[in-house]
PDB file of all heavy atoms in Angstrom:
ATOM      1  N   GLY A  57     116.873  90.238  43.323  1.00 94.00           N
ATOM      2  CA  GLY A  57     117.837  90.169  44.402  1.00 94.00           C
ATOM      3  C   GLY A  57     119.230  89.891  43.859  1.00 94.00           C
ATOM      4  O   GLY A  57     119.382  89.463  42.713  1.00 94.00           O
ATOM      5  N   PRO A  58     120.245  90.137  44.653  1.00 96.00           N
ATOM      6  CA  PRO A  58     121.621  89.853  44.213  1.00 96.00           C
ATOM      7  C   PRO A  58     121.808  88.374  43.884  1.00 96.00           C
ATOM      8  O   PRO A  58     121.239  87.508  44.549  1.00 96.00           O
ATOM      9  CB  PRO A  58     122.466  90.253  45.428  1.00 96.00           C
ATOM     10  CG  PRO A  58     121.620  91.224  46.185  1.00 96.00           C
ATOM     11  CD  PRO A  58     120.215  90.760  45.989  1.00 96.00           C
ATOM     12  N   GLN A  59     122.615  88.120  42.854  1.00 97.00           N
ATOM     13  CA  GLN A  59     122.951  86.741  42.462  1.00 97.00           C
ATOM     14  C   GLN A  59     124.451  86.540  42.604  1.00 97.00           C
ATOM     15  O   GLN A  59     125.238  87.359  42.125  1.00 97.00           O
ATOM     16  CB  GLN A  59     122.534  86.491  41.015  1.00 97.00           C
ATOM     17  CG  GLN A  59     121.044  86.347  40.827  1.00 97.00           C
ATOM     18  CD  GLN A  59     120.722  85.361  39.720  1.00 97.00           C
ATOM     19  OE1 GLN A  59     121.354  85.376  38.673  1.00 97.00           O
ATOM     20  NE2 GLN A  59     119.751  84.501  39.956  1.00 97.00           N
ATOM     21  N   PHE A  60     124.822  85.431  43.220  1.00 96.00           N
ATOM     22  CA  PHE A  60     126.207  85.110  43.507  1.00 96.00           C
ATOM     23  C   PHE A  60     126.984  84.847  42.219  1.00 96.00           C
ATOM     24  O   PHE A  60     126.534  84.066  41.375  1.00 96.00           O
ATOM     25  CB  PHE A  60     126.248  83.874  44.413  1.00 96.00           C
ATOM     26  CG  PHE A  60     127.620  83.341  44.695  1.00 96.00           C
ATOM     27  CD1 PHE A  60     128.429  83.935  45.646  1.00 96.00           C
ATOM     28  CD2 PHE A  60     128.089  82.224  44.025  1.00 96.00           C
ATOM     29  CE1 PHE A  60     129.691  83.426  45.925  1.00 96.00           C
ATOM     30  CE2 PHE A  60     129.343  81.707  44.290  1.00 96.00           C
ATOM     31  CZ  PHE A  60     130.142  82.315  45.241  1.00 96.00           C
ATOM     32  N   ILE A  61     128.177  85.499  42.124  1.00 97.00           N
ATOM     33  CA  ILE A  61     129.033  85.267  40.966  1.00 97.00           C
ATOM     34  C   ILE A  61     130.268  84.451  41.370  1.00 97.00           C
ATOM     35  O   ILE A  61     130.554  83.406  40.797  1.00 97.00           O
ATOM     36  CB  ILE A  61     129.507  86.592  40.321  1.00 97.00           C
ATOM     37  CG1 ILE A  61     128.327  87.533  40.064  1.00 97.00           C
ATOM     38  CG2 ILE A  61     130.223  86.304  39.009  1.00 97.00           C
ATOM     39  CD1 ILE A  61     128.757  88.907  39.542  1.00 97.00           C
ATOM     40  N   PHE A  62     131.024  84.978  42.352  1.00 94.00           N
ATOM     41  CA  PHE A  62     132.275  84.339  42.776  1.00 94.00           C
ATOM     42  C   PHE A  62     132.505  84.561  44.266  1.00 94.00           C
ATOM     43  O   PHE A  62     132.031  85.549  44.838  1.00 94.00           O
ATOM     44  CB  PHE A  62     133.500  84.999  42.107  1.00 94.00           C
ATOM     45  CG  PHE A  62     133.710  84.708  40.680  1.00 94.00           C
ATOM     46  CD1 PHE A  62     133.544  85.711  39.739  1.00 94.00           C
ATOM     47  CD2 PHE A  62     134.101  83.458  40.248  1.00 94.00           C
ATOM     48  CE1 PHE A  62     133.743  85.465  38.397  1.00 94.00           C
ATOM     49  CE2 PHE A  62     134.304  83.197  38.904  1.00 94.00           C
ATOM     50  CZ  PHE A  62     134.118  84.209  37.978  1.00 94.00           C
ATOM     51  N   GLN A  63     133.271  83.643  44.874  1.00 94.00           N
ATOM     52  CA  GLN A  63     133.896  83.911  46.151  1.00 94.00           C
ATOM     53  C   GLN A  63     135.389  83.630  46.031  1.00 94.00           C
ATOM     54  O   GLN A  63     135.788  82.607  45.466  1.00 94.00           O
ATOM     55  CB  GLN A  63     133.334  83.053  47.285  1.00 94.00           C
ATOM     56  CG  GLN A  63     133.951  83.421  48.632  1.00 94.00           C
ATOM     57  CD  GLN A  63     133.958  82.290  49.634  1.00 94.00           C
ATOM     58  OE1 GLN A  63     133.409  81.222  49.417  1.00 94.00           O
ATOM     59  NE2 GLN A  63     134.583  82.526  50.769  1.00 94.00           N
ATOM     60  N   TYR A  64     136.213  84.524  46.565  1.00 95.00           N
ATOM     61  CA  TYR A  64     137.653  84.342  46.633  1.00 95.00           C
ATOM     62  C   TYR A  64     138.111  84.411  48.076  1.00 95.00           C
ATOM     63  O   TYR A  64     137.627  85.237  48.867  1.00 95.00           O
ATOM     64  CB  TYR A  64     138.392  85.402  45.816  1.00 95.00           C
ATOM     65  CG  TYR A  64     138.537  85.006  44.371  1.00 95.00           C
ATOM     66  CD1 TYR A  64     137.450  85.102  43.503  1.00 95.00           C
ATOM     67  CD2 TYR A  64     139.723  84.499  43.876  1.00 95.00           C
ATOM     68  CE1 TYR A  64     137.559  84.703  42.185  1.00 95.00           C
ATOM     69  CE2 TYR A  64     139.850  84.102  42.554  1.00 95.00           C
ATOM     70  CZ  TYR A  64     138.754  84.202  41.714  1.00 95.00           C
ATOM     71  OH  TYR A  64     138.855  83.808  40.412  1.00 95.00           O
ATOM     72  N   TYR A  65     139.025  83.517  48.409  1.00 92.00           N
ATOM     73  CA  TYR A  65     139.595  83.493  49.750  1.00 92.00           C
ATOM     74  C   TYR A  65     141.066  83.153  49.625  1.00 92.00           C
ATOM     75  O   TYR A  65     141.409  82.164  48.966  1.00 92.00           O
ATOM     76  CB  TYR A  65     138.872  82.476  50.629  1.00 92.00           C
ATOM     77  CG  TYR A  65     139.461  82.322  52.004  1.00 92.00           C
ATOM     78  CD1 TYR A  65     139.382  83.361  52.921  1.00 92.00           C
ATOM     79  CD2 TYR A  65     140.094  81.150  52.393  1.00 92.00           C
ATOM     80  CE1 TYR A  65     139.910  83.242  54.188  1.00 92.00           C
ATOM     81  CE2 TYR A  65     140.634  81.012  53.651  1.00 92.00           C
ATOM     82  CZ  TYR A  65     140.547  82.055  54.548  1.00 92.00           C
ATOM     83  OH  TYR A  65     141.070  81.944  55.807  1.00 92.00           O
ATOM     84  N   GLU A  66     141.901  83.958  50.235  1.00 89.00           N
ATOM     85  CA  GLU A  66     143.348  83.746  50.171  1.00 89.00           C
ATOM     86  C   GLU A  66     143.812  83.582  48.711  1.00 89.00           C
ATOM     87  O   GLU A  66     144.577  82.678  48.384  1.00 89.00           O
ATOM     88  CB  GLU A  66     143.757  82.538  51.000  1.00 89.00           C
ATOM     89  CG  GLU A  66     143.590  82.721  52.495  1.00 89.00           C
ATOM     90  CD  GLU A  66     144.671  83.621  53.119  1.00 89.00           C
ATOM     91  OE1 GLU A  66     145.468  84.263  52.365  1.00 89.00           O
ATOM     92  OE2 GLU A  66     144.728  83.724  54.349  1.00 89.00           O
ATOM     93  N   LYS A  67     143.294  84.423  47.859  1.00 90.00           N
ATOM     94  CA  LYS A  67     143.671  84.538  46.452  1.00 90.00           C
ATOM     95  C   LYS A  67     143.213  83.363  45.590  1.00 90.00           C
ATOM     96  O   LYS A  67     143.560  83.284  44.417  1.00 90.00           O
ATOM     97  CB  LYS A  67     145.181  84.732  46.297  1.00 90.00           C
ATOM     98  CG  LYS A  67     145.692  85.943  47.060  1.00 90.00           C
ATOM     99  CD  LYS A  67     147.163  86.209  46.782  1.00 90.00           C
ATOM    100  CE  LYS A  67     148.059  85.146  47.365  1.00 90.00           C
ATOM    101  NZ  LYS A  67     148.010  85.132  48.850  1.00 90.00           N
TER     102      LYS A  67
END
Side-chain angles (χ1 to χ4, degrees):
Chain A
Q59 286 214 317
F60 175 80
I61 310 175
F62 287 112
Q63 184 207 354
Y64 274 76
Y65 176 68
E66 292 285 9
K67 303 186 291 295

